[in-house]
Amino acid sequence: AQRVTQPEKLLSVFKGAPVELKCNYSYSGSPELFWYVQYSRQRLQLLLRHISRESIKGFTADLNKGETSFHLKKPFAQEEDSAMYYCALTPTGGYNKLIFGAGTRLAVHP
Amino acid sequence: NAGVTQTPKFRVLKTGQSMTLLCAQDMNHEYMYWYRQDPGMGLRLIHYSVGEGTTAKGEVPDGYNVSRLKKQNFLLGLESAAPSQTSVYFCASRDRSNQPQHFGDGTRLSIL
């Protein structure tokens, strides 16, 4: 079955601390992986996708096919990073449907 | 460029009432999607459409119907609302190329 697991509901860190939001997936083929972010009372926005291999707002994510993981990392958290983060996958040939994880709320304290 | 627009933004219904949520996109996208967002469950796909006049079931389609009579609009209907349908509903769209989905602002629906 296709599944995305984000084990942490809440991740609380202090400003300047490193951040790692965990994401594991279950899929037999080669999915495309995404991280979406939702700031308070705003729409979901794409943060990054694994095929781009780029860094957005200091965040990076590496696809590890052996561990079926796509963890989101940032070396120094900022208060404005506080938001809800969703990991998602699109199965191959699935009309680009997104399968989301339950989300992790990141709270960055001053 | 408005992107994806959802109306209404908020609504409170009584059990058994009917309601239609409208999603409009001005990007000439082929694919459109309706998701519901519930605490601790992320977003789940209700229905989707791969083109004008076509619809398909997603992960949680029961209790909902959809129509895509015009390419730019994707309607989500609740024929007889139930408290379990209290949620935040998101619409999204994308084109056929390898671009990500664009989301609307969401509709917060409460059913009493």
Side-chain angles (χ1 to χ4, degrees), chain A residues 31-56:
Chain A
E32 185 172 1
L33 276 298
F34 302 84
W35 276 99
Y36 278 84
V37 60
Q38 187 178 29
Y39 300 102
S40 180
R41 298 191 176 278
Q42 293 188 25
R43 65 180 64 186
L44 268 77
Q45 306 171 36
L46 178 68
L47 183 61
L48 51 82
R49 56 197 301 190
H50 87 272
I51 61 172
S52 299
R53 301 185 63 83
E54 57 187 343
S55 173
I56 305 293

PDB file of all heavy atoms in Angstrom, chain A residues 31-56:
ATOM      1  N   PRO A  31       8.412   6.676  -6.636  1.00  0.00           N
ATOM      2  CA  PRO A  31       7.536   7.833  -6.496  1.00  0.00           C
ATOM      3  C   PRO A  31       8.298   9.143  -6.623  1.00  0.00           C
ATOM      4  O   PRO A  31       9.526   9.164  -6.559  1.00  0.00           O
ATOM      5  CB  PRO A  31       6.997   7.669  -5.077  1.00  0.00           C
ATOM      6  CG  PRO A  31       8.143   7.040  -4.334  1.00  0.00           C
ATOM      7  CD  PRO A  31       8.790   6.109  -5.330  1.00  0.00           C
ATOM      8  N   GLU A  32       7.544  10.202  -6.772  1.00  0.00           N
ATOM      9  CA  GLU A  32       8.126  11.529  -6.650  1.00  0.00           C
ATOM     10  C   GLU A  32       7.760  12.042  -5.265  1.00  0.00           C
ATOM     11  O   GLU A  32       6.620  11.947  -4.842  1.00  0.00           O
ATOM     12  CB  GLU A  32       7.590  12.463  -7.725  1.00  0.00           C
ATOM     13  CG  GLU A  32       8.282  13.813  -7.695  1.00  0.00           C
ATOM     14  CD  GLU A  32       7.904  14.691  -8.864  1.00  0.00           C
ATOM     15  OE1 GLU A  32       7.079  14.267  -9.695  1.00  0.00           O
ATOM     16  OE2 GLU A  32       8.442  15.807  -8.930  1.00  0.00           O
ATOM     17  N   LEU A  33       8.723  12.598  -4.551  1.00  0.00           N
ATOM     18  CA  LEU A  33       8.511  13.057  -3.187  1.00  0.00           C
ATOM     19  C   LEU A  33       8.541  14.576  -3.106  1.00  0.00           C
ATOM     20  O   LEU A  33       9.301  15.238  -3.826  1.00  0.00           O
ATOM     21  CB  LEU A  33       9.604  12.496  -2.267  1.00  0.00           C
ATOM     22  CG  LEU A  33       9.445  11.090  -1.674  1.00  0.00           C
ATOM     23  CD1 LEU A  33       8.214  11.036  -0.772  1.00  0.00           C
ATOM     24  CD2 LEU A  33       9.385  10.030  -2.750  1.00  0.00           C
ATOM     25  N   PHE A  34       7.687  15.099  -2.216  1.00  0.00           N
ATOM     26  CA  PHE A  34       7.548  16.539  -2.041  1.00  0.00           C
ATOM     27  C   PHE A  34       7.509  16.872  -0.544  1.00  0.00           C
ATOM     28  O   PHE A  34       7.109  16.053   0.277  1.00  0.00           O
ATOM     29  CB  PHE A  34       6.214  17.041  -2.619  1.00  0.00           C
ATOM     30  CG  PHE A  34       5.990  16.747  -4.065  1.00  0.00           C
ATOM     31  CD1 PHE A  34       5.478  15.522  -4.467  1.00  0.00           C
ATOM     32  CD2 PHE A  34       6.256  17.702  -5.039  1.00  0.00           C
ATOM     33  CE1 PHE A  34       5.255  15.246  -5.805  1.00  0.00           C
ATOM     34  CE2 PHE A  34       6.033  17.432  -6.379  1.00  0.00           C
ATOM     35  CZ  PHE A  34       5.528  16.205  -6.757  1.00  0.00           C
ATOM     36  N   TRP A  35       7.861  18.112  -0.258  1.00  0.00           N
ATOM     37  CA  TRP A  35       7.545  18.717   1.033  1.00  0.00           C
ATOM     38  C   TRP A  35       6.691  19.965   0.760  1.00  0.00           C
ATOM     39  O   TRP A  35       7.082  20.827  -0.034  1.00  0.00           O
ATOM     40  CB  TRP A  35       8.799  19.121   1.801  1.00  0.00           C
ATOM     41  CG  TRP A  35       9.395  17.998   2.583  1.00  0.00           C
ATOM     42  CD1 TRP A  35      10.453  17.207   2.230  1.00  0.00           C
ATOM     43  CD2 TRP A  35       8.962  17.528   3.865  1.00  0.00           C
ATOM     44  NE1 TRP A  35      10.705  16.273   3.207  1.00  0.00           N
ATOM     45  CE2 TRP A  35       9.803  16.449   4.232  1.00  0.00           C
ATOM     46  CE3 TRP A  35       7.949  17.919   4.766  1.00  0.00           C
ATOM     47  CZ2 TRP A  35       9.670  15.763   5.433  1.00  0.00           C
ATOM     48  CZ3 TRP A  35       7.822  17.229   5.952  1.00  0.00           C
ATOM     49  CH2 TRP A  35       8.674  16.162   6.284  1.00  0.00           C
ATOM     50  N   TYR A  36       5.528  20.016   1.429  1.00  0.00           N
ATOM     51  CA  TYR A  36       4.671  21.188   1.376  1.00  0.00           C
ATOM     52  C   TYR A  36       4.686  21.852   2.757  1.00  0.00           C
ATOM     53  O   TYR A  36       4.809  21.178   3.781  1.00  0.00           O
ATOM     54  CB  TYR A  36       3.230  20.805   1.030  1.00  0.00           C
ATOM     55  CG  TYR A  36       2.982  20.608  -0.444  1.00  0.00           C
ATOM     56  CD1 TYR A  36       3.271  19.389  -1.059  1.00  0.00           C
ATOM     57  CD2 TYR A  36       2.464  21.630  -1.227  1.00  0.00           C
ATOM     58  CE1 TYR A  36       3.057  19.200  -2.415  1.00  0.00           C
ATOM     59  CE2 TYR A  36       2.236  21.451  -2.589  1.00  0.00           C
ATOM     60  CZ  TYR A  36       2.536  20.233  -3.167  1.00  0.00           C
ATOM     61  OH  TYR A  36       2.318  20.063  -4.508  1.00  0.00           O
ATOM     62  N   VAL A  37       4.503  23.168   2.767  1.00  0.00           N
ATOM     63  CA  VAL A  37       4.462  23.914   4.018  1.00  0.00           C
ATOM     64  C   VAL A  37       3.166  24.730   4.060  1.00  0.00           C
ATOM     65  O   VAL A  37       2.690  25.216   3.035  1.00  0.00           O
ATOM     66  CB  VAL A  37       5.696  24.826   4.174  1.00  0.00           C
ATOM     67  CG1 VAL A  37       5.787  25.842   3.049  1.00  0.00           C
ATOM     68  CG2 VAL A  37       5.698  25.539   5.516  1.00  0.00           C
ATOM     69  N   GLN A  38       2.596  24.820   5.251  1.00  0.00           N
ATOM     70  CA  GLN A  38       1.386  25.622   5.449  1.00  0.00           C
ATOM     71  C   GLN A  38       1.613  26.540   6.641  1.00  0.00           C
ATOM     72  O   GLN A  38       1.625  26.079   7.785  1.00  0.00           O
ATOM     73  CB  GLN A  38       0.171  24.729   5.681  1.00  0.00           C
ATOM     74  CG  GLN A  38      -1.145  25.475   5.738  1.00  0.00           C
ATOM     75  CD  GLN A  38      -2.325  24.540   5.927  1.00  0.00           C
ATOM     76  OE1 GLN A  38      -2.207  23.480   6.514  1.00  0.00           O
ATOM     77  NE2 GLN A  38      -3.489  24.940   5.427  1.00  0.00           N
ATOM     78  N   TYR A  39       1.824  27.825   6.366  1.00  0.00           N
ATOM     79  CA  TYR A  39       1.948  28.808   7.428  1.00  0.00           C
ATOM     80  C   TYR A  39       0.559  29.124   7.965  1.00  0.00           C
ATOM     81  O   TYR A  39      -0.450  28.850   7.312  1.00  0.00           O
ATOM     82  CB  TYR A  39       2.642  30.066   6.926  1.00  0.00           C
ATOM     83  CG  TYR A  39       4.036  29.799   6.402  1.00  0.00           C
ATOM     84  CD1 TYR A  39       4.288  29.718   5.038  1.00  0.00           C
ATOM     85  CD2 TYR A  39       5.096  29.586   7.275  1.00  0.00           C
ATOM     86  CE1 TYR A  39       5.558  29.447   4.550  1.00  0.00           C
ATOM     87  CE2 TYR A  39       6.371  29.313   6.803  1.00  0.00           C
ATOM     88  CZ  TYR A  39       6.591  29.236   5.442  1.00  0.00           C
ATOM     89  OH  TYR A  39       7.853  28.952   4.977  1.00  0.00           O
ATOM     90  N   SER A  40       0.521  29.700   9.157  1.00  0.00           N
ATOM     91  CA  SER A  40      -0.754  29.923   9.833  1.00  0.00           C
ATOM     92  C   SER A  40      -1.753  30.645   8.934  1.00  0.00           C
ATOM     93  O   SER A  40      -1.471  31.712   8.402  1.00  0.00           O
ATOM     94  CB  SER A  40      -0.504  30.748  11.102  1.00  0.00           C
ATOM     95  OG  SER A  40      -1.698  30.984  11.776  1.00  0.00           O
ATOM     96  N   ARG A  41      -2.906  30.016   8.745  1.00  0.00           N
ATOM     97  CA  ARG A  41      -4.018  30.591   7.978  1.00  0.00           C
ATOM     98  C   ARG A  41      -3.648  30.893   6.526  1.00  0.00           C
ATOM     99  O   ARG A  41      -4.189  31.816   5.926  1.00  0.00           O
ATOM    100  CB  ARG A  41      -4.556  31.840   8.668  1.00  0.00           C
ATOM    101  CG  ARG A  41      -5.127  31.538  10.044  1.00  0.00           C
ATOM    102  CD  ARG A  41      -5.890  32.700  10.609  1.00  0.00           C
ATOM    103  NE  ARG A  41      -6.508  32.340  11.881  1.00  0.00           N
ATOM    104  CZ  ARG A  41      -7.649  31.691  12.005  1.00  0.00           C
ATOM    105  NH1 ARG A  41      -8.303  31.321  10.938  1.00  0.00           N
ATOM    106  NH2 ARG A  41      -8.138  31.399  13.196  1.00  0.00           N
ATOM    107  N   GLN A  42      -2.718  30.148   5.959  1.00  0.00           N
ATOM    108  CA  GLN A  42      -2.358  30.320   4.557  1.00  0.00           C
ATOM    109  C   GLN A  42      -2.549  29.005   3.812  1.00  0.00           C
ATOM    110  O   GLN A  42      -2.735  27.962   4.408  1.00  0.00           O
ATOM    111  CB  GLN A  42      -0.914  30.799   4.421  1.00  0.00           C
ATOM    112  CG  GLN A  42      -0.669  32.205   4.962  1.00  0.00           C
ATOM    113  CD  GLN A  42       0.719  32.703   4.624  1.00  0.00           C
ATOM    114  OE1 GLN A  42       1.340  32.272   3.647  1.00  0.00           O
ATOM    115  NE2 GLN A  42       1.214  33.624   5.428  1.00  0.00           N
ATOM    116  N   ARG A  43      -2.508  29.083   2.525  1.00  0.00           N
ATOM    117  CA  ARG A  43      -2.669  27.888   1.706  1.00  0.00           C
ATOM    118  C   ARG A  43      -1.391  27.068   1.697  1.00  0.00           C
ATOM    119  O   ARG A  43      -0.323  27.553   2.036  1.00  0.00           O
ATOM    120  CB  ARG A  43      -3.029  28.284   0.275  1.00  0.00           C
ATOM    121  CG  ARG A  43      -1.938  29.064  -0.466  1.00  0.00           C
ATOM    122  CD  ARG A  43      -2.389  29.409  -1.889  1.00  0.00           C
ATOM    123  NE  ARG A  43      -3.531  30.303  -1.893  1.00  0.00           N
ATOM    124  CZ  ARG A  43      -4.180  30.668  -2.999  1.00  0.00           C
ATOM    125  NH1 ARG A  43      -3.796  30.196  -4.174  1.00  0.00           N
ATOM    126  NH2 ARG A  43      -5.210  31.486  -2.947  1.00  0.00           N
ATOM    127  N   LEU A  44      -1.521  25.819   1.323  1.00  0.00           N
ATOM    128  CA  LEU A  44      -0.334  24.968   1.183  1.00  0.00           C
ATOM    129  C   LEU A  44       0.540  25.493   0.057  1.00  0.00           C
ATOM    130  O   LEU A  44       0.051  25.882  -1.001  1.00  0.00           O
ATOM    131  CB  LEU A  44      -0.735  23.526   0.842  1.00  0.00           C
ATOM    132  CG  LEU A  44      -0.921  22.570   2.000  1.00  0.00           C
ATOM    133  CD1 LEU A  44      -2.253  22.836   2.662  1.00  0.00           C
ATOM    134  CD2 LEU A  44      -0.857  21.134   1.523  1.00  0.00           C
ATOM    135  N   GLN A  45       1.834  25.475   0.325  1.00  0.00           N
ATOM    136  CA  GLN A  45       2.795  25.892  -0.688  1.00  0.00           C
ATOM    137  C   GLN A  45       3.841  24.797  -0.846  1.00  0.00           C
ATOM    138  O   GLN A  45       4.239  24.174   0.139  1.00  0.00           O
ATOM    139  CB  GLN A  45       3.524  27.173  -0.246  1.00  0.00           C
ATOM    140  CG  GLN A  45       2.645  28.328   0.126  1.00  0.00           C
ATOM    141  CD  GLN A  45       3.442  29.449   0.748  1.00  0.00           C
ATOM    142  OE1 GLN A  45       4.570  29.728   0.369  1.00  0.00           O
ATOM    143  NE2 GLN A  45       2.854  30.120   1.734  1.00  0.00           N
ATOM    144  N   LEU A  46       4.254  24.604  -2.066  1.00  0.00           N
ATOM    145  CA  LEU A  46       5.330  23.652  -2.299  1.00  0.00           C
ATOM    146  C   LEU A  46       6.635  24.217  -1.748  1.00  0.00           C
ATOM    147  O   LEU A  46       7.005  25.351  -2.061  1.00  0.00           O
ATOM    148  CB  LEU A  46       5.479  23.376  -3.792  1.00  0.00           C
ATOM    149  CG  LEU A  46       6.621  22.429  -4.163  1.00  0.00           C
ATOM    150  CD1 LEU A  46       6.315  21.020  -3.663  1.00  0.00           C
ATOM    151  CD2 LEU A  46       6.847  22.423  -5.663  1.00  0.00           C
ATOM    152  N   LEU A  47       7.300  23.434  -0.916  1.00  0.00           N
ATOM    153  CA  LEU A  47       8.595  23.862  -0.385  1.00  0.00           C
ATOM    154  C   LEU A  47       9.718  23.329  -1.275  1.00  0.00           C
ATOM    155  O   LEU A  47      10.558  24.086  -1.736  1.00  0.00           O
ATOM    156  CB  LEU A  47       8.755  23.365   1.051  1.00  0.00           C
ATOM    157  CG  LEU A  47      10.023  23.792   1.784  1.00  0.00           C
ATOM    158  CD1 LEU A  47      10.090  25.306   1.902  1.00  0.00           C
ATOM    159  CD2 LEU A  47      10.072  23.159   3.176  1.00  0.00           C
ATOM    160  N   LEU A  48       9.705  22.030  -1.502  1.00  0.00           N
ATOM    161  CA  LEU A  48      10.676  21.479  -2.430  1.00  0.00           C
ATOM    162  C   LEU A  48      10.252  20.078  -2.867  1.00  0.00           C
ATOM    163  O   LEU A  48       9.367  19.466  -2.284  1.00  0.00           O
ATOM    164  CB  LEU A  48      12.094  21.458  -1.825  1.00  0.00           C
ATOM    165  CG  LEU A  48      12.310  20.846  -0.459  1.00  0.00           C
ATOM    166  CD1 LEU A  48      12.443  19.353  -0.514  1.00  0.00           C
ATOM    167  CD2 LEU A  48      13.596  21.410   0.173  1.00  0.00           C
ATOM    168  N   ARG A  49      10.886  19.627  -3.940  1.00  0.00           N
ATOM    169  CA  ARG A  49      10.614  18.307  -4.503  1.00  0.00           C
ATOM    170  C   ARG A  49      11.938  17.627  -4.771  1.00  0.00           C
ATOM    171  O   ARG A  49      12.927  18.297  -5.073  1.00  0.00           O
ATOM    172  CB  ARG A  49       9.783  18.418  -5.772  1.00  0.00           C
ATOM    173  CG  ARG A  49      10.412  19.305  -6.835  1.00  0.00           C
ATOM    174  CD  ARG A  49       9.445  19.750  -7.897  1.00  0.00           C
ATOM    175  NE  ARG A  49       8.802  18.684  -8.635  1.00  0.00           N
ATOM    176  CZ  ARG A  49       8.066  18.885  -9.721  1.00  0.00           C
ATOM    177  NH1 ARG A  49       7.903  20.105 -10.186  1.00  0.00           N
ATOM    178  NH2 ARG A  49       7.487  17.876 -10.339  1.00  0.00           N
ATOM    179  N   HIS A  50      11.971  16.326  -4.674  1.00  0.00           N
ATOM    180  CA  HIS A  50      13.264  15.644  -4.688  1.00  0.00           C
ATOM    181  C   HIS A  50      13.940  15.717  -6.045  1.00  0.00           C
ATOM    182  O   HIS A  50      15.166  15.722  -6.124  1.00  0.00           O
ATOM    183  CB  HIS A  50      13.128  14.184  -4.222  1.00  0.00           C
ATOM    184  CG  HIS A  50      12.781  13.206  -5.314  1.00  0.00           C
ATOM    185  ND1 HIS A  50      11.490  12.919  -5.669  1.00  0.00           N
ATOM    186  CD2 HIS A  50      13.575  12.464  -6.115  1.00  0.00           C
ATOM    187  CE1 HIS A  50      11.498  12.028  -6.642  1.00  0.00           C
ATOM    188  NE2 HIS A  50      12.739  11.731  -6.924  1.00  0.00           N
ATOM    189  N   ILE A  51      13.164  15.831  -7.123  1.00  0.00           N
ATOM    190  CA  ILE A  51      13.822  15.834  -8.431  1.00  0.00           C
ATOM    191  C   ILE A  51      14.541  17.156  -8.686  1.00  0.00           C
ATOM    192  O   ILE A  51      15.418  17.223  -9.541  1.00  0.00           O
ATOM    193  CB  ILE A  51      12.817  15.559  -9.565  1.00  0.00           C
ATOM    194  CG1 ILE A  51      11.732  16.643  -9.620  1.00  0.00           C
ATOM    195  CG2 ILE A  51      12.218  14.179  -9.413  1.00  0.00           C
ATOM    196  CD1 ILE A  51      10.836  16.531 -10.831  1.00  0.00           C
ATOM    197  N   SER A  52      14.190  18.208  -7.948  1.00  0.00           N
ATOM    198  CA  SER A  52      14.830  19.501  -8.165  1.00  0.00           C
ATOM    199  C   SER A  52      16.192  19.581  -7.492  1.00  0.00           C
ATOM    200  O   SER A  52      17.056  20.321  -7.936  1.00  0.00           O
ATOM    201  CB  SER A  52      13.943  20.614  -7.626  1.00  0.00           C
ATOM    202  OG  SER A  52      12.718  20.631  -8.297  1.00  0.00           O
ATOM    203  N   ARG A  53      16.316  18.861  -6.374  1.00  0.00           N
ATOM    204  CA  ARG A  53      17.564  18.839  -5.617  1.00  0.00           C
ATOM    205  C   ARG A  53      18.048  20.265  -5.313  1.00  0.00           C
ATOM    206  O   ARG A  53      19.227  20.580  -5.453  1.00  0.00           O
ATOM    207  CB  ARG A  53      18.648  18.063  -6.355  1.00  0.00           C
ATOM    208  CG  ARG A  53      18.272  16.616  -6.647  1.00  0.00           C
ATOM    209  CD  ARG A  53      19.429  15.854  -7.266  1.00  0.00           C
ATOM    210  NE  ARG A  53      20.553  15.768  -6.349  1.00  0.00           N
ATOM    211  CZ  ARG A  53      20.652  14.874  -5.392  1.00  0.00           C
ATOM    212  NH1 ARG A  53      19.693  13.982  -5.198  1.00  0.00           N
ATOM    213  NH2 ARG A  53      21.706  14.836  -4.608  1.00  0.00           N
ATOM    214  N   GLU A  54      17.121  21.128  -4.951  1.00  0.00           N
ATOM    215  CA  GLU A  54      17.497  22.499  -4.636  1.00  0.00           C
ATOM    216  C   GLU A  54      17.206  22.793  -3.175  1.00  0.00           C
ATOM    217  O   GLU A  54      16.524  22.044  -2.494  1.00  0.00           O
ATOM    218  CB  GLU A  54      16.738  23.478  -5.533  1.00  0.00           C
ATOM    219  CG  GLU A  54      15.247  23.347  -5.464  1.00  0.00           C
ATOM    220  CD  GLU A  54      14.533  24.224  -6.486  1.00  0.00           C
ATOM    221  OE1 GLU A  54      15.158  25.159  -7.017  1.00  0.00           O
ATOM    222  OE2 GLU A  54      13.360  23.983  -6.766  1.00  0.00           O
ATOM    223  N   SER A  55      17.722  23.924  -2.711  1.00  0.00           N
ATOM    224  CA  SER A  55      17.508  24.352  -1.341  1.00  0.00           C
ATOM    225  C   SER A  55      16.568  25.544  -1.351  1.00  0.00           C
ATOM    226  O   SER A  55      16.813  26.515  -2.063  1.00  0.00           O
ATOM    227  CB  SER A  55      18.840  24.727  -0.690  1.00  0.00           C
ATOM    228  OG  SER A  55      18.629  25.287   0.585  1.00  0.00           O
ATOM    229  N   ILE A  56      15.489  25.457  -0.606  1.00  0.00           N
ATOM    230  CA  ILE A  56      14.511  26.538  -0.522  1.00  0.00           C
ATOM    231  C   ILE A  56      14.445  27.012   0.914  1.00  0.00           C
ATOM    232  O   ILE A  56      14.249  26.207   1.827  1.00  0.00           O
ATOM    233  CB  ILE A  56      13.113  26.066  -0.974  1.00  0.00           C
ATOM    234  CG1 ILE A  56      13.173  25.469  -2.379  1.00  0.00           C
ATOM    235  CG2 ILE A  56      12.133  27.225  -0.910  1.00  0.00           C
ATOM    236  CD1 ILE A  56      13.500  26.449  -3.463  1.00  0.00           C
TER     237      ILE A  56
END
